[in-house]
Amino acid sequence: MSDQAPKPQTAESVSSTRYLVGRLWHDAIRNYIGWVVLAVLCMSVMAGTNAFSAYLMKPIVDDVFVAKNEAMLWPVGLLVIGTFMIKGFANYSQSMLMNHVGLRIIADTQNRLFTHLAHMNLNFFHRNPTGTLISRFTLDIHQMKVAVSNGLTGFGKDLLSLIGLIGVMFYQDWQLAFASFFAFPVAIYPIVRIGRRMRKVTANTQVELGLFTTVLTQTFQGIRVVKAYGMQAYEASRIADVVERIYKLNMKAARTREISRPIMETLGGGAIFVVIVYGGSRVIAETTTAGAFFSFLTALLMAYEPMKRLAGLNASMQQGLAGAERLYQLLDQQPEITDKPNARDLGKVFGAVSFDDVTFAYSDEVKALSNVSISIPAGKTVALVGPSGAGKSTILNLIPRFYDVDAGSISIDSTDIRDATLDSLFGNIALVSQEIMLFDDTVSANIAYGKGGASQDEVEHAARHAAAHDFITELPDGYDTIVGEQGFKLSGGQRQRLAIARAMLKDAPVLLLDEATSALDTESERHIQAALYELMEGRTTVVIAHRLSTIIDADLIYVIDQGRIVEQGAHGELLARGGLYKKLYELQFNDELAAELAVVSQG
Ligand code: ATP
């Protein structure tokens, strides 16, 4: 057994049935081979009992009914009960074993997919909408499981049953058997075609279902905006469009799948017709016995179900392979930003950060940063100021390597961040962004997100320093209060303080701070300001500054415009220079300044 996953050569071969089945075997089924073997054993017992029960028709008819042999009555009757009992138990066991294998494959694949995706870069998540990713976890994985269990059950239970029953037919009357099998080759062609069509229809349906989940997620997440702008009808019509497309695709899939039924029914009827006319004439001519004939007919009728399932198997396998194909496409994508082979652990850094002639573009068209050089000594605070779209967030995004620079380099304590392990880099950086991400968990768990295995004391300590302890203790369950999805049970200011507490707990030497733009009331603002000062204390801080006080207190201010650094210096110097900074300052802070001056003059 090779340990290597099958390697596709071309894009086309990646979607070939052979490649996908090979990959399913290698990635999913192989690990459970023991269980599968057991299940197949049970299936073969079931197939054997099936064939035997058809065979039993001969002694029942010939000995009991025709020869009226009373001595056979009980033994044959008991044999029938015994056979059906064994069949029942074998069926139960194979079904439980196959459920186990199928459900384990789902669980393993979901875990594997999540671990894989959690390591993908931000770019990947920009390219793949959430809904699409979620539907990979649910629909595609489920379909893959269906393909695996239907495939195994089809080949194990149905094929073996069919072989057994056909064996009985040939045993009882081989000439009749040949005559009734004329239908087989005729049936193969439409079945293969139906399978191919099914795969295409399923692929289209999955794309639409992904879109459906995305639209639903966005609408529910943004329900406040939807309501505020009275856009319910618009959203409903957007959803209705997708729903309609899904309906049509599902109908097409149903038509494609169900078309095999009339084909199979007609062929089945034809076979029975041949058996009755030809077989009946042979019984009348006494070439064969009535018992053999009925045993044959029973085997044929019993063969009908597994045959029908096998006919539909290709279609359902193709459906599942379409799911598997999409899963493997995701699993095969590698993160672009990874540890170099000889990447080194940074340990705990002092926190000197420098950008050396950095150029970066999100896509080929427009540069987000051009020749940016920034130098921040350990423990100092640098404020980034500039108009919207200037590139401030981009600078912040490059430090934890959410993206890699196109030219130039970024270093921490003189180590190029590309030479460090990602884990040790992240370990040295705390990020407090405007969009505060809170999980639907307790306050404690949300703060403890900053440091794996933090104790309750550490959490409370961090909360006190983030001016959050008092409001937390006033919550209904204190630190055990569930904050709701995205922290909707908390105010904006409270959410910010939890984010600050989380960063405080992490206690990383480098702090990336994107100050919130939304104005809070003075009380809240005062709390947050105090918490931020605590947090910034002794750390290298790069802050996208929106508050006048943060800017004035910064050790150095960089003014960014259109991806370039246009000015740098301290607040006073920059104001005196009368450039972009002064303009921005007057635009943004005139009111704030007037208020401060008023306070000063009153004082
Ligand atoms: P703001 O103050 O409005 O947040 P900013 O100064 O932080 O703006 P950035 O977010 O760094 O600006 O954006 C710099 C440029 O990069 C902008 O032109 C923006 O359109 C572009 N940009 C930002 N993020 C992406 C992305 N994920 N993909 C493509 N372009 C992006």
Side-chain angles (χ1 to χ4, degrees), residues 104-118:
R104 278 284 7 126
I105 286 177
I106 290 192
D108 292 353
T109 316
Q110 282 172 332
N111 286 331
R112 184 170 159 217
L113 187 62
F114 181 79
T115 311
H116 183 73
L117 294 188

Side-chain angles (χ1 to χ4, degrees), residues 200-503:
K200 222 166 97 194
V201 178
T202 312
N204 294 340
T205 317
Q206 295 307 92
V207 171
E208 290 294 336
L209 284 174
L211 185 65
F212 186 45
T213 325
T214 306
V215 178
L216 283 179
T217 318
Q218 284 172 356
T219 313
F220 290 138
Q221 272 176 359
I223 194 71
R224 278 208 288 198
V225 181
V226 174
K227 279 177 172 297
Y229 286 88
M231 293 300 269
Q232 288 95 332
Y234 169 76
E235 291 298 338
S237 83
R238 225 154 63 105
I239 301 268
D241 282 347
V242 186
V243 166
E244 196 57 29
R245 285 203 296 273
I246 293 174
Y247 158 76
K248 286 192 177 133
L249 282 167
N250 276 333
M251 268 317 287
K252 201 165 162 187
R255 268 199 307 275
T256 313
R257 194 172 45 239
E258 300 304 322
I259 192 74
S260 68
R261 287 186 204 274
I263 297 175
M264 291 308 293
E265 297 285 345
T266 312
L267 291 172
I272 294 170
F273 166 81
V274 171
V275 170
I276 291 175
V277 174
Y278 182 56
S281 66
R282 280 164 64 81
V283 176
I284 293 165
E286 297 195 349
T287 325
T288 187
T289 66
F293 171 77
F294 276 107
S295 170
F296 184 96
L297 191 61
T298 311
L300 183 70
L301 293 177
M302 284 176 73
Y304 187 58
E305 273 305 315
M307 199 143 57
K308 234 173 38 181
R309 273 201 298 273
L310 281 173
L313 180 65
N314 191 31
S316 77
M317 284 279 289
Q318 294 300 338
Q319 217 171 351
L321 290 182
E325 185 181 347
R326 276 187 299 277
L327 278 175
Y328 290 139
Q329 274 167 4
L330 274 194
L331 284 168
D332 289 344
Q333 287 186 46
Q334 291 307 320
E336 289 137 28
I337 299 173
T338 48
D339 285 351
K340 275 188 183 174
N342 51 351
R344 73 183 194 83
D345 191 319
L346 282 174
K348 186 144 184 160
V349 299
F350 292 107
V353 176
S354 76
F355 279 57
D356 187 16
D357 212 13
V358 166
T359 295
F360 172 75
Y362 287 98
S363 53
D364 295 337
E365 300 99 57
V366 198
K367 281 202 175 107
L369 294 180
S370 308
N371 309 100
V372 167
S373 291
I374 296 175
S375 173
I376 317 165
K380 300 289 182 195
T381 296
V382 154
L384 304 177
V385 179
S388 180
K392 304 179 295 289
S393 308
T394 307
I395 291 179
L396 241 55
N397 284 337
L398 292 179
I399 299 174
R401 283 188 81 194
F402 288 156
Y403 306 92
D404 263 349
V405 298
D406 295 331
S409 65
I410 299 172
S411 55
I412 292 189
D413 285 4
S414 310
T415 302
D416 189 322
I417 54 175
R418 286 167 298 191
D419 294 332
T421 62
L422 284 167
D423 277 350
S424 72
L425 180 65
F426 294 149
N428 278 294
I429 296 173
L431 173 71
V432 179
S433 66
Q434 276 197 42
E435 304 121 40
I436 291 157
M437 183 64 219
L438 293 180
F439 299 93
D440 190 9
D441 204 336
T442 61
V443 169
S444 280
N446 268 292
I447 298 177
Y449 210 77
K451 183 179 169 190
S455 69
Q456 186 60 24
D457 280 350
E458 286 176 294
V459 167
E460 285 195 28
H461 186 257
R464 277 178 209 281
H465 285 276
H469 179 74
D470 290 347
F471 91 76
I472 295 172
T473 47
E474 281 163 22
L475 291 172
D477 296 314
Y479 279 87
D480 293 329
T481 310
I482 304 280
V483 300
E485 204 173 329
Q486 302 283 358
F488 76 85
K489 292 183 189 165
L490 302 173
S491 75
Q494 291 171 336
R495 282 202 288 268
Q496 284 183 26
R497 276 179 276 164
L498 284 198
I500 295 170
R502 184 189 279 169

